[in-house]
Amino acid sequence: MSTLLPPPSEIARMPADWVEERSGLLSIGKYMLFRNVPKDISWLQTLGSALMTVFILQATTGVLLAMYYQPDPNTAWNTIAFITNDATLGWLVRGMHKWGSSIMVVLLFLHMGRTFLFGAYKYPREMTWITGAIIFILVMAMSFTGYLLVFDERAYWATVVGVNINGTAPILGPALSYILMVGPEISTHTLSRFYALHMLALPGAIGGLIALHLWLVIRLGVTSPPWSRMKVTEGDV
Amino acid sequence: MPRLTARERRDRYQREYAFQKRHGKSFFPHAVFHDTIVSLIVVGIIMGMSILWWAQFEPVPLEPGVERAGGILGPAYEGRADPGVEAYDPKPEWYFFFLFELLRIFKTPELLIVGSVIIPTVWMVLLIGWPFIDRNPDRRLSRRPVALAVGVCVPIVLLTLTFYGSKAPGAGGAASQAPGAAAFAGGACSTCHAFADAGSAGNVGPSLTDNAVDYDLAYDLIANGKGGMPAFSGTYSEDEMKCLAGYVATHSGAPAGEKGPEAATAAEVYPAACETAGGLFAGGGAAATGD
């Protein structure tokens, strides 16, 4: 009787082969991991991946916070106090979300500064810069909408002033303020609107743009620094 | 070197990059190793800040709704938001300080739009469109004088604005004994408006020390708001608004303790409305110190 089973090494590979045959995901993963990058890339070029780490951290801590937070003017502040004072390690989750947002903005500036100094927005990477710039603006919108949610005095007044400043814009300004606040002043609806933007619309948009940004980085490759000595010489091509 | 066409320049870059890539190293594990180290440091910093923040918290206050104070990284949270009652200095998060400072520079009503809309819009268009503005193909900074100048000036301007924004003054205490002064200083008004008579140094809205406002305009602005100013008709009663408008009309455009040029326009309602409104509105400076 011949053996019914293939050798163990082949059995171990079967799940992976099954996935690969149906989706091609393994080849995509291999392509992403084992592509070549210029050998003189610098430590300054790690900031983008650090930003993605912070984004994942913000998303994770954000989900945990959303399990306790209630976007209602009567209870929002109490749930924040509960998370900070009573929930197990709630202070750590809220603290990391709070300080993570500041660090994210700092890293965004540094990442953008690095790209600028390297001239990495030039051909063929113009679209990578544009997606990054839009992500930057959306992250600022993220922090503005997140600021109100704590619903303490600082949060409230900063948002009143922010939204009203918005209202000084001609034509669309007052309408935009009205839409943001859902009426002439901050109310229950304002808070749930900011919450929906902060935890659904904006992170969704940012996540999608990060995917596009990342795809462009992988497709076009990482630049080598402008001081690179790796120059193509005649006869080398 | 002969001048290349745009197409030739692009081809040349692609050739050069293909060469660098061919003689490069694998993303995994080389770049991934560096990325992991930096990511771990960043997460470490975030955790460190959270722990430092938490370690300096004061005990939870027994009264409900009040601030739980902290140390150098600020309180755990401030008191529950209470619209219109507390004087409050509405500082944004630090990364909006530069915008906040722009608004303080362009604070007159005619210029407000420059700081609030025009500059930020121009800034966003420049940011997104930068690859199309900078057409210089060279990547070395020594060959990019314009980009280098922009790259040096923009951070300096942003850091300067952020620095001054962080130093922006908040609300002050009441100086005047006039009816309504304490309510002005203790309420939301002083948050934004400088007003010598009320001892307030807010700097977001127009200064009432410098600008005389007549009674009808003051009442309309308080009740309905305008531009960056919120409407207070939901917060204050009719008499309270009359009192505040009367107080502003009487003392605006003048140094502390003196009547301004529009004082006569308020004569009918002020200070009578303050008596009717009662509380903080009726009293002078004494009520403010007791607050």
Side-chain angles (χ1 to χ4, degrees), chain A residues 85 121-123 222 236, chain B residues 17 19 68 77 134 136 139:
Chain A
N85 302 335
Y121 52 83
K122 294 173 190 241
Y123 174 83
V222 185
D236 208 357
Chain B
Y17 189 69
F19 172 78
R68 182 176 181 192
Y77 42 78
D134 176 18
N136 177 354
R139 283 153 208 262

Side-chain angles (χ1 to χ4, degrees), chain A residues 73 77 148 150-157, chain B residues 65 78-83:
Chain A
W77 186 90
L148 175 68
V150 178
F151 219 66
D152 59 6
E153 288 165 343
R154 190 193 235 291
Y156 180 86
W157 286 109
Chain B
E78 296 191 347
R80 189 205 310 264
D82 196 353

Side-chain angles (χ1 to χ4, degrees), chain B residues 160-248:
Chain B
T160 310
L161 288 174
T162 301
F163 174 77
Y164 284 105
S166 72
K167 297 239 174 267
S176 170
Q177 296 295 314
F184 186 99
C189 318
S190 59
T191 294
C192 296
H193 294 285
F195 194 3
D197 194 75
S200 116
N203 223 340
V204 176
S207 158
L208 296 171
T209 316
D210 304 331
N211 301 293
V213 182
D214 71 27
Y215 173 78
D216 289 333
L217 178 61
Y219 184 86
D220 179 53
L221 289 175
I222 294 168
N224 305 316
K226 188 191 178 191
M229 179 163 170
F232 288 97
S233 50
T235 311
Y236 294 123
S237 72
E238 184 85 21
D239 284 321
E240 288 169 345
M241 289 192 292
K242 281 183 181 169
C243 167
L244 284 170
Y247 168 65
V248 168

Side-chain angles (χ1 to χ4, degrees), chain A residues 31-43 45-47 49-51 53-54 57-58 73-75 77-78 80-82 84-85 91-92 94-103 105-107 109 112 115-126 129-130 133-134 136-137 140-141 143-144 147 150-158 160-161 164-170 184-185 218-228 230-233 236-237, chain B residues 7 9-17 19-28 31-39 42-43 45-47 49-51 53-54 57 60 64-68 73-86 88-96 98 100 103 112-113 116-117 123-124 126-132 134-141 144 147-148 150-151 158 188 191-192 204 227-232 234-235:
Chain A
Y31 169 71
M32 281 163 63
L33 284 178
F34 298 102
R35 71 202 148 91
N36 261 16
V37 293
K39 69 175 176 195
D40 50 5
I41 56 167
S42 96
W43 279 94
Q45 283 161 294
T46 56
L47 294 166
S49 65
L51 270 164
T53 305
V54 179
L57 193 72
Q58 293 298 91
N74 298 316
T75 52
W77 186 90
N78 300 44
I80 291 288
F82 175 82
T84 317
N85 302 335
W91 61 269
L92 183 64
R94 194 184 145 222
M96 289 184 75
H97 198 74
K98 176 184 164 76
W99 297 111
S101 80
S102 282
I103 295 291
V105 174
V106 171
L107 287 175
F109 273 105
M112 203 153 68
T115 309
F116 188 91
L117 292 179
F118 276 30
Y121 52 83
K122 294 173 190 241
Y123 174 83
R125 300 184 180 81
E126 296 96 329
W129 172 275
I130 294 168
I134 299 171
F136 176 84
I137 293 166
M140 294 305 261
S143 58
F144 179 69
Y147 206 61
V150 178
F151 219 66
D152 59 6
E153 288 165 343
R154 190 193 235 291
Y156 180 86
W157 286 109
V160 168
V161 173
N164 283 309
I165 284 165
N166 223 318
T168 61
E185 55 194 28
I218 291 167
R219 181 185 150 86
L220 301 169
V222 185
T223 44
S224 83
W227 55 82
S228 172
M230 292 288 292
K231 298 290 178 204
V232 66
T233 46
D236 208 357
V237 181
Chain B
R7 180 77 259 170
R9 242 186 352 245
R10 290 206 295 272
D11 289 344
R12 191 188 153 99
Y13 179 79
Q14 291 287 15
R15 263 203 317 280
E16 187 159 292
Y17 189 69
F19 172 78
Q20 289 172 339
K21 224 174 150 161
R22 203 161 54 246
H23 295 273
K25 57 190 180 186
S26 176
F27 174 71
F28 181 87
V32 170
F33 174 66
H34 288 173
D35 286 343
T36 309
I37 289 178
V38 173
S39 286
V42 166
V43 173
I45 291 172
I46 294 172
M47 283 189 88
M49 287 177 84
S50 307
I51 291 168
W53 177 61
W54 167 76
F57 285 174
V60 180
V66 300
E67 171 181 276
R68 182 176 181 192
L73 288 182
Y77 42 78
E78 296 191 347
R80 189 205 310 264
D82 196 353
V85 177
E86 290 284 318
Y88 198 76
D89 172 17
K91 279 247 178 108
E93 186 69 294
W94 66 266
Y95 34 76
F96 285 116
F98 70 97
F100 189 60
L103 296 170
L112 183 62
I113 190 169
S116 68
V117 181
W123 194 75
M124 279 195 275
L126 288 179
L127 177 75
I128 294 175
W130 182 249
F132 306 108
D134 176 18
R135 304 304 297 164
N136 177 354
D138 215 300
R139 283 153 208 262
R140 280 161 294 183
L141 274 179
R144 295 165 61 205
L148 184 62
V150 171
L158 283 181
T191 294
C192 296
V204 176
M229 179 163 170
F232 288 97
T235 311

